[in-house]
Amino acid sequence: YQFILLIFFILHPLAGLTNYIYNSVNVTSGSYSLDLSGVAPTTVTPSGSFPASGLPAGVVSLQVEGATSGAIGTGNFTIFISYQTTADGEWTVNSKWDTNVNPNSPSVKTHIANNITIPESNTIEVDEITIDENASLHNNGSTFTINGNIILKNGADNKSAKFLNNGNLINRGKIIIRKSFSRTFGWYFMSFPFDVPADRIFIAGTNTIARWGDPTTAATSTNDFYVSEYDGAKRDNTGVVNYTIDSPNWKDVTPHTLIAKKGYIIAVPGDIEIDFVSGSQESALFSTTSSNVSVNKYLNNSYQQHNSWNLIGTPYASAYDLKYATEAPFYHYNNVNYDVVMSGDNVVLNPYTSF
């Protein structure tokens, strides 16, 4: 056997990208998924070990020794470093990250697991960002560029990732609302700040389209989720009141597209995690200005309590207090019955909630 020595330097994010050429293979520094299955043995500098399919976060340099045959494979490899927060605080504080370096590079994937603020007057760029359902990110006056996807997690208990933007946000990728559903929870009152057609609803982390079911037609166990919308016109015409989720005023969604800022109820036949994906470069949910939600007036019924019922949603990726919304009263389903929200009441809704 012939033996070779390959050294890849993963630079500090501020240093940018450097390309290393070996046997016509272009390896971009900052990699997180380089196939080293043909390399044996492998060593890492500084000390430590790693699986053959990936590099650990925060590696400064990688030294690989192995046979020439199959040592690196062929093709182009783009390698990303992953950073995850470890405590609440400011993005620019190194000790808040597992790598002890705050991320700022287009080759960086970031995972927000805490409550993080980007302080004002910074310029930060990353590839992809994931925010956990118990975490939040606040851009407080900086220029923040995200080249890849923004993944916002929403838990089975309706706790949700929160992203408050008070700066200049440049989103070059797609937004993924990654929702966990529990069968025993029942119906989830949900809304999305962008249109989501059926072909952009996937089993989480895959390219497999989730199967949409219509509750009032041929419901089968082969569907992954079921969706209904509220029929305010029918309520106005019939005068039938909604006391519980079991009401004749719910109807199937036709065509199969979830409309931005409109409310829906969603249930699942089994526990599942589903991705609801935006188009490219969506930004309305990060707006720093007020947002309007269109509603319909239904005025045929002589009893006012049956007029103009609409199920709508919060338009932002951050929490929203209904005391700032006009046209109260509102009704919010608490998974048992409906709470009445009067003008000026402090009722804070998580993102992607309908009322």
Side-chain angles (χ1 to χ4, degrees):
Y1 291 98
Q2 276 185 305
F3 289 90
I4 60 170
L5 177 66
L6 293 177
I7 300 179
F8 301 93
F9 293 99
I10 298 178
L11 305 178
H12 185 285
L14 294 177
L17 297 177
T18 303
N19 293 333
Y20 299 92
I21 310 298
Y22 171 71
N23 281 357
S24 299
V25 177
N26 184 2
V27 181
T28 304
S29 71
S31 180
Y32 194 65
S33 56
L34 175 61
D35 183 7
L36 299 174
S37 56
V39 179
T42 58
T43 59
V44 172
T45 304
S47 62
S49 62
F50 62 96
S53 59
L55 307 179
V59 171
V60 176
S61 64
L62 170 65
Q63 176 178 299
V64 180
E65 295 180 73
T68 301
S69 175
I72 196 169
T74 59
N76 294 324
F77 299 87
T78 301
I79 303 189
F80 295 95
I81 307 175
S82 178
Y83 291 70
Q84 180 170 319
T85 62
T86 56
D88 296 350
E90 292 189 342
W91 180 293
T92 51
V93 177
N94 290 343
S95 62
K96 303 303 179 183
W97 298 91
D98 59 353
T99 57
N100 205 36
V101 174
N102 71 87
N104 190 356
S105 168
S107 66
V108 162
K109 294 184 184 294
T110 53
H111 184 170
I112 307 299
N114 303 90
N115 299 309
I116 300 296
T117 297
I118 302 175
E120 62 181 345
S121 303
N122 284 276
T123 300
I124 295 174
E125 182 175 10
V126 298
D127 174 67
E128 182 178 273
I129 187 165
T130 300
I131 305 177
D132 285 347
E133 59 264 35
N134 293 310
S136 65
L137 179 63
H138 178 199
N139 178 19
N140 188 26
S142 287
T143 297
F144 187 35
T145 301
I146 304 170
N147 295 309
N149 292 330
I150 302 172
I151 302 173
L152 303 168
K153 292 189 174 183
N154 187 287
D157 57 0
N158 278 332
K159 292 180 179 178
S160 183
K162 299 175 180 66
F163 191 157
L164 177 61
N165 176 51
N166 293 125
N168 178 26
L169 178 67
I170 302 171
N171 171 30
R172 294 181 174 142
K174 296 180 179 181
I175 299 165
I176 300 174
I177 297 175
R178 182 161 290 170
K179 171 66 180 175
S180 293
F181 291 95
S182 168
R183 183 189 64 81
T184 58
F185 186 91
W187 290 95
Y188 289 84
F189 276 65
M190 296 199 67
S191 179
F192 300 90
F194 45 79
D195 290 351
V196 191
D199 61 1
R200 291 211 307 261
I201 303 176
F202 302 94
I203 305 301
T206 75
N207 293 322
T208 302
I209 294 177
R211 295 164 295 188
W212 181 313
D214 295 317
T216 63
T217 56
T220 70
S221 60
T222 60
N223 295 316
D224 294 307
F225 67 102
Y226 296 88
V227 186
S228 287
E229 61 180 323
Y230 194 71
D231 192 341
K234 185 176 181 180
R235 165 72 180 269
D236 182 57
N237 289 328
T238 64
V240 176
V241 180
N242 253 55
Y243 288 112
T244 67
I245 199 68
D246 298 317
S247 162
N249 297 328
W250 297 103
K251 65 178 182 178
D252 295 343
V253 178
T254 304
H256 282 181
T257 295
L258 304 174
I259 303 300
K261 297 185 282 191
K262 186 173 181 177
Y264 300 91
I265 56 173
I266 302 178
V268 295
D271 295 355
I272 194 172
E273 193 174 37
I274 297 176
D275 286 346
F276 298 86
V277 183
S278 76
S280 297
Q281 302 182 28
E282 177 66 49
S283 61
L285 69 167
F286 305 116
S287 174
T288 58
T289 61
S290 61
S291 178
N292 295 320
V293 179
S294 297
V295 295
N296 296 312
K297 285 189 175 182
Y298 307 107
L299 303 174
N300 291 327
N301 200 296
S302 59
Y303 292 93
Q304 189 177 15
Q305 66 265 33
H306 299 306
N307 298 155
S308 303
W309 285 87
N310 290 262
L311 187 62
I312 60 175
T314 55
Y316 302 117
S318 55
Y320 184 76
D321 192 333
L322 285 178
K323 79 172 184 177
Y324 297 110
T326 60
E327 308 298 332
F330 306 108
Y331 294 83
H332 175 241
Y333 191 65
N334 62 17
N335 206 40
V336 178
N337 49 40
Y338 293 92
D339 293 325
V340 181
V341 182
M342 302 303 294
S343 180
D345 286 353
N346 289 98
V347 177
V348 178
L349 301 182
N350 279 324
Y352 327 120
T353 300
S354 61
F355 60 97

